[in-house]
């Protein structure tokens, strides 16, 4: 078969998955080389002590990533879940959060090459050092009314958190076997939400008597800062990727290091790929709702109702993500079937909630400005709060399903970092735009209308993406290495003919 004929077939990606590349050599400076070691079982690891196997195993790494999320993003989320960062009005917090995610977007856009050069462990360490900036920024603003430090802390923290975003995403996509990925995604997400449960409990215990609107007690932020300071410990305990072993003793697929120039050429190939742009809108949507509904909560609910929300949301999410992960590991269903089921589980309730929220806004206009409280307004509070609850809880399913889908294409660490970096860039761009809109617009129905449009565009993109899901991931970069893989197959066919 000629190269032209092979390029024209619809089975290119299936062909590449079957290629044996161990006898093919390439220039180290070529970004499309397939210099990937054949998957092998590490007998020394299997013969090591239980403590060593556990420490180097995928499960322990997931626990460490979960711990990092527990004391970093989860604490930040607990503050955000108060609506407006717990400040008396949401506008400064929305501006600060928008700037934070804009910086994260900039970093994660080029995160693939950076992570591949620095390594996942040290990238997470860079992020962990700046975790305390999040809580301290809100503390200084709430107590001393110094707004510039909040903006500064969020901008710097946004840039460094991008290292964690890409690092943990790369690990989630490449460390576990495909049939275990749902379980590990569930563990990581559950641990992250455990941090939010703790944060929510702190919020509620410190603010349970405030039945009016306004800001939370400033001492609340000090407890968050204490948790955030422990991040460096969990980052230090991570193993270098080349030392990580899967449950059966196999190494994580890890292609050889290439030059900076070659890394950016490979990243450019990923940026041009159809699959990358199909994931753009779902990733953008998967966090866009945060700014819209965070403002919704801040403007229409009492302080203690917001504090209670920051507790009950993650408490509900933990069993939900564990069950969702088990569904994704179901061996009786094909990969595509699991993709369709996962899509339906979050898309249908979220579509209903968007309509529900529109109805609530029309009621708010008639009722005037009321800070709904669970003990005062009862049924009316529940009616207004439920769409927020459903959007945020099923929103984690949205994110996990995209992680899982991306992980079905390739398990190579270098490929996952490029894919994961672009995915997180799209995701943080959604957050930045969402909070930016909510920091400036007077009519809060406008961001809701924008969210509805983004959701409508997400549905066909997800449909097309699910249709591309293969039955097993490639162990090389199936985008950057596609051309060389085809040539390698032709060479082998010629050698055997």
């Amino acid at each position: 078969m000629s190269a032209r004929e092979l390029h024209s077939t619809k089975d290119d990606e299936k062909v590449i998955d079957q290629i044996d590349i161990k006898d093919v050599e390439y220039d180290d400076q070529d970004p499309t080389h397939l210099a990937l070691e054949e998957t092998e079982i590490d007998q020394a690891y299997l013969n090591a002590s239980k403590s060593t196997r556990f420490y180097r195993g995928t499960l322990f790494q997931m626990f460490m990533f979960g711990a990092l999320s527990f004391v970093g993003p989860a604490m930040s989320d607990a503050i955000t879940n108060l609506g407006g960062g717990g400040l008396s009005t949401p506008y400064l917090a929305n501006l600060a959060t928008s700037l934070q995610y804009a910086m994260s977007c900039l970093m994660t856009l080029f995160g693939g090459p950076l992570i591949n050069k620095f390594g996942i462990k040290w990238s997470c360490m860079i992020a962990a050092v700046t975790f305390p900036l999040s809580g301290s920024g809100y503390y200084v603003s709430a107590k001393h009314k110094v707004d510039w430090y909040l903006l500064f802390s969020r901008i710097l923290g946004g840039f460094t958190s991008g290292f964690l975003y890409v690092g943990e995403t790369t690990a989630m996509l490449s460390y576990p076997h495909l049939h275990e990925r749902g379980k590990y995604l569930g563990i990581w997400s559950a641990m992250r939400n455990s941090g939010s449960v703790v944060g929510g409990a702190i919020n509620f215990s410190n603010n349970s008597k405030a039945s009016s609107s306004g800001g939370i007690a400033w001492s609340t932020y000090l407890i968050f800062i204490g948790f955030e300071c422990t991040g460096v410990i969990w980052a230090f305990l991570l193993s270098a990727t080349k030392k990580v072993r899967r449950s059966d003793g196999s190494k994580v697929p890890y292609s050889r290091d290439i030059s900076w120039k070659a890394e950016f050429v490979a990243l450019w190939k990923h940026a041009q790929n159809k699959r990358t742009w199909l994931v753009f809108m779902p990733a953008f949507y998967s966090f866009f709702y945060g700014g819209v509904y965070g403002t919704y909560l801040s403007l229409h609910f009492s302080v203690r109702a917001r504090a209670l929300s920051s507790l009950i949301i993650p408490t509900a999410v933990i069993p939900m993500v564990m069950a969702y992960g088990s569904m994704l590991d179901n061996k009786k269903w094909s990969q595509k079937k699991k993709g369709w089921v996962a899509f339906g589980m979050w898309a249908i309730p979220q579509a209903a909630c968007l309509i529900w929220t529109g109805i609530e806004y029309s009621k708010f206009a008639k009722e005037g400005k009321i800070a709904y409280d669970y003990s005062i307004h009862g049924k009316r509070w529940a009616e207004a709060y439920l769409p927020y609850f459903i959007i945020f809880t099923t929103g984690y399913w949205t994110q996990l399903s995209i992680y899982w889908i991306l992980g079905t294409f390739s398990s190579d660490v270098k490929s996952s970092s490029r894919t994961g970096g672009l995915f997180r860039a799209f995701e943080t761009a959604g957050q930045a735009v969402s909070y930016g809109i909510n920091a400036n617009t007077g009519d809060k129905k406008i961001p809701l209308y924008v969210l509805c449009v983004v959701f409508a565009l997400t549905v066909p993109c997800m449909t097309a993406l699910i249709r591309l899901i293969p039955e097993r991931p490639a162990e090389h970069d199936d985008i950057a290495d596609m051309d060389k893989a085809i040539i390698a197959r032709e060479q082998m066919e010629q050698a055997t003919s």
Side-chain angles (χ1 to χ4, degrees), residues 75 95 425:
M75 293 296 122
L95 175 60

Side-chain angles (χ1 to χ4, degrees), residues 104-399:
S104 293
C105 178
L106 180 63
M107 187 275 147
T108 54
L109 188 62
F110 303 101
L114 292 172
I115 296 300
N116 287 342
K117 288 298 182 181
F118 296 154
I120 292 176
K121 175 175 180 174
W122 293 109
S123 296
C124 291
M125 183 66 77
I126 292 171
V129 169
T130 60
F131 280 171
L133 288 175
S134 177
S136 65
Y138 284 105
Y139 173 78
V140 170
S141 179
K143 184 178 181 182
H144 301 291
K145 309 300 180 185
V146 178
D147 296 338
W148 72 263
Y149 179 69
L150 173 61
L151 298 176
F152 168 77
S153 65
R154 298 300 270 177
I155 290 172
L156 181 58
F159 180 80
T160 55
S161 65
F163 284 89
L164 175 64
Y165 292 159
V166 182
E168 66 181 5
T169 301
T170 302
M172 298 304 150
L173 297 180
S174 58
Y175 280 14
H177 283 300
L178 181 59
H179 65 272
E180 300 174 321
R181 195 159 292 149
K183 177 181 72 174
Y184 288 124
L185 282 170
I187 290 172
W188 165 69
S189 186
M191 288 190 67
R192 174 169 180 161
N193 281 281
S194 295
S196 295
V197 169
V198 173
I202 294 168
N203 287 335
F204 188 62
S205 63
N206 279 18
N207 301 279
S208 60
K209 296 181 180 180
S211 60
S212 61
S213 61
I216 67 168
W218 55 260
S219 58
T220 306
Y221 298 115
L222 294 176
I223 306 173
F224 291 129
I225 296 171
F227 277 103
E228 290 167 341
C229 288
T230 67
V232 292
I233 299 173
W234 317 120
F236 180 78
L237 290 174
L238 285 169
S239 294
T241 301
K242 290 184 178 181
K243 296 181 179 180
V244 176
R245 298 294 179 264
R246 291 170 168 173
S247 56
D248 60 357
S250 60
K251 299 179 180 180
V252 177
Y254 193 95
S255 51
R256 282 189 290 180
D257 293 334
I258 55 179
S259 68
W260 279 103
K261 178 181 178 181
E263 280 285 359
F264 282 104
V265 170
L267 178 65
W268 177 242
K269 288 193 173 186
H270 275 259
Q272 293 176 295
N273 189 265
K274 172 185 176 182
R275 190 170 76 219
T276 300
W277 288 103
L278 284 177
V279 82
F280 171 81
M281 195 55 67
F284 190 89
Y285 169 79
S286 70
F287 272 96
F288 188 88
Y289 65 82
V292 178
Y293 279 88
T295 303
Y296 173 88
L297 185 72
S298 176
L299 293 178
H300 301 292
F301 295 85
S302 69
V303 170
R304 67 180 179 186
R306 289 152 55 190
L308 177 63
S309 175
S310 70
L311 173 61
I312 63 176
I313 291 286
T315 302
V317 166
I318 291 173
M320 289 175 65
V321 294
M322 294 301 292
Y324 198 70
S326 297
M327 184 277 293
L328 292 174
D329 287 340
N330 188 330
K331 295 181 180 180
K332 296 180 180 179
W333 293 348
S334 67
Q335 298 295 88
K336 287 186 179 180
K337 183 175 180 179
K338 286 187 282 190
W340 288 118
V341 172
F343 177 44
M345 286 176 67
W346 61 261
I348 294 172
Q350 289 191 11
C353 282
L354 293 176
I355 298 171
W356 189 344
T357 307
I359 296 172
E360 289 303 315
Y361 269 117
S362 65
K363 292 181 179 180
F364 294 156
K366 296 177 182 178
E367 295 168 347
K369 189 174 181 179
I370 299 175
Y372 293 105
D373 186 80
Y374 53 86
S375 66
I376 299 174
H377 303 98
K379 182 179 179 181
R380 185 69 189 95
W381 163 81
E383 181 184 337
Y385 179 69
L386 273 176
Y388 177 94
F389 175 84
I390 295 172
I391 281 284
F392 266 85
T393 52
T394 58
Y396 282 90
W397 286 354
T398 308
Q399 296 146 27

